[in-house]
Amino acid sequence: MKAQSILGSAAVGVGLGALLLPAAALADTRVSPATTPVGGTVVLTSTCNPKAGDAIFRVTGPDRDQNVRSTTAAAGGGLSAELFTAGFTLGTYTVATTCGDGSDGGSATFTVTPIGGAQAGAGGRDGDTGVLVAGGALAAGAVAGGAYVLVRRRRRAGVTA
Amino acid sequence: MVIPRIGVDAEIVAVATDDDGALEVPPLEHPEVAGWYRPGPAPGQAGNAVLVGHVDSTRGPAVFFDLGRLRPGDTVRVVRADGRTVAFTVDGVGAYPKARFPTERVYGGGAAARLRLITCGGRFDPRTGSYPDNIVVFATAAG
């Protein structure tokens, strides 16, 4: 019971200093945001005890295995570092932290995604206002198909008339 | 993939990103084809599988022209390369300016198998040659 109590206190960072080596195993790692467009910056944070020294965040993923050293004391306690994702391959990355005392600092994941939305349209045939009208209706989540069909039918009627 | 409500029955090709880091779309020469974002989960796997398709081409409506007509409860079926069919139920449909694309909701992870369908929306701007918005359908694997 006593050991559990010590571990629990250490887990919330009550500041028992170097006596808490076993407790560091309960440290936690977070990544914010958990999803970023490629080129964005994520903040890696661990609850490692800063007094034990810098934490090392090991970032592994689709084509990457790099260590990032903590640079600042996190506002809420622990240590953090910023990671710039320019040049990262798209996919999910794992951040595994080693605290300054060599203990396990926990792990977390983040995902690198494409930038923005998709360019998924060409505006229809030149002068075909039916598609343009339909595109606007789509944005409103309305009856785009109906609008298009209506205009197309009118065009056909005009052609055949 | 099959979307009965809007009459979609389309082939799927793999896509990734272009040189600018934006989501690739299937070639405009094949507007009837949808693209699966290969770096992400496959449909039916844990996480968000993403499919993208054109709303139109220079020749007229494309595979996702009617995507904005989907409503919660509608069904999307995807036949995977392994022959397994995964059915998804639509949770919702949204329109977003491309500058405020909901990256986390589209690509975010999680234990559930989810599906995101993306196309263009808004009024086509002939000056820029593009639409201002994206239509996104949010769906979750049924059963």
Side-chain angles (χ1 to χ4, degrees), chain A residues 34-35 37-38 90-91 111-126 131-132 134-136 138-139 141-145 148, chain B residues 17 20-23 25 37 52-59 61 65-66 68 71 95 98 101 103-104 107 120 122 124 130-131 133-135:
Chain A
T35 302
V38 62
L90 303 172
T111 301
V112 176
T113 74
I115 297 171
Q119 300 295 338
R125 187 182 305 174
D126 288 344
V131 174
L132 302 184
L138 267 175
V143 287
Y148 177 82
Chain B
T17 55
D20 295 326
L23 180 63
V25 293
Y37 175 63
V52 59
H54 290 286
V55 65
D56 60 20
S57 72
T58 54
R59 291 170 287 163
F65 183 77
D66 284 329
R71 291 293 176 265
K98 287 176 180 173
F101 187 76
T103 298
E104 174 64 32
Y107 295 102
C120 272
F124 183 76
S130 66
Y131 287 92
D133 301 329
N134 278 129
I135 305 298

Side-chain angles (χ1 to χ4, degrees), chain A residues 21-22 24 28 33 40-41 44 61 63 65 109 117 122 126 150-151 159:
Chain A
L21 280 176
D28 189 26
T41 299
L44 318 177
D63 67 342
D65 187 344
T109 62
D126 288 344
L150 181 62
V151 174
V159 170

Side-chain angles (χ1 to χ4, degrees), chain B residues 16-87:
Chain B
T17 55
D18 61 22
D19 292 340
D20 295 326
L23 180 63
E24 268 185 337
V25 293
L28 265 174
E29 295 75 27
H30 296 284
E32 73 283 3
V33 170
W36 163 52
Y37 175 63
R38 186 195 285 272
Q45 288 183 326
N48 296 355
V50 177
L51 299 180
V52 59
H54 290 286
V55 65
D56 60 20
S57 72
T58 54
R59 291 170 287 163
V63 59
F64 281 172
F65 183 77
D66 284 329
L67 207 61
R69 294 180 59 204
L70 290 178
R71 291 293 176 265
D74 287 343
T75 298
V76 179
R77 291 195 299 273
V78 179
V79 181
R80 294 159 41 113
D82 60 9
R84 177 181 156 214
T85 298
V86 185

Side-chain angles (χ1 to χ4, degrees), chain A:
Chain A
M1 288 298 291
K2 186 175 181 180
Q4 287 179 345
S5 175
I6 290 173
L7 290 174
S9 297
V12 295
V14 180
L16 296 181
L19 292 176
L20 299 177
L21 280 176
L26 297 179
D28 189 26
T29 291
R30 299 184 307 276
V31 182
S32 181
T35 302
T36 181
V38 62
T41 299
V42 293
V43 178
L44 318 177
T45 304
S46 175
T47 55
C48 291
N49 184 354
K51 292 181 180 177
D54 290 342
I56 299 296
F57 301 99
R58 183 179 180 187
V59 180
T60 56
D63 67 342
R64 188 167 295 263
D65 187 344
Q66 73 176 95
N67 289 329
V68 179
R69 182 176 295 273
S70 63
T71 55
T72 56
L79 296 163
S80 68
E82 291 189 346
L83 179 63
F84 188 42
T85 64
F88 275 47
T89 297
L90 303 172
T92 298
Y93 293 78
T94 297
V95 180
T97 306
T98 301
C99 297
D101 58 13
S103 63
D104 181 1
S107 65
T109 62
F110 68 95
T111 301
V112 176
T113 74
I115 297 171
Q119 300 295 338
R125 187 182 305 174
D126 288 344
D128 190 341
T129 55
V131 174
L132 302 184
V133 169
L138 267 175
V143 287
Y148 177 82
V149 170
L150 181 62
V151 174
R152 292 285 292 180
R153 283 176 178 164
R154 284 177 178 168
R155 284 170 50 84
R156 285 183 185 143
V159 170
T160 54

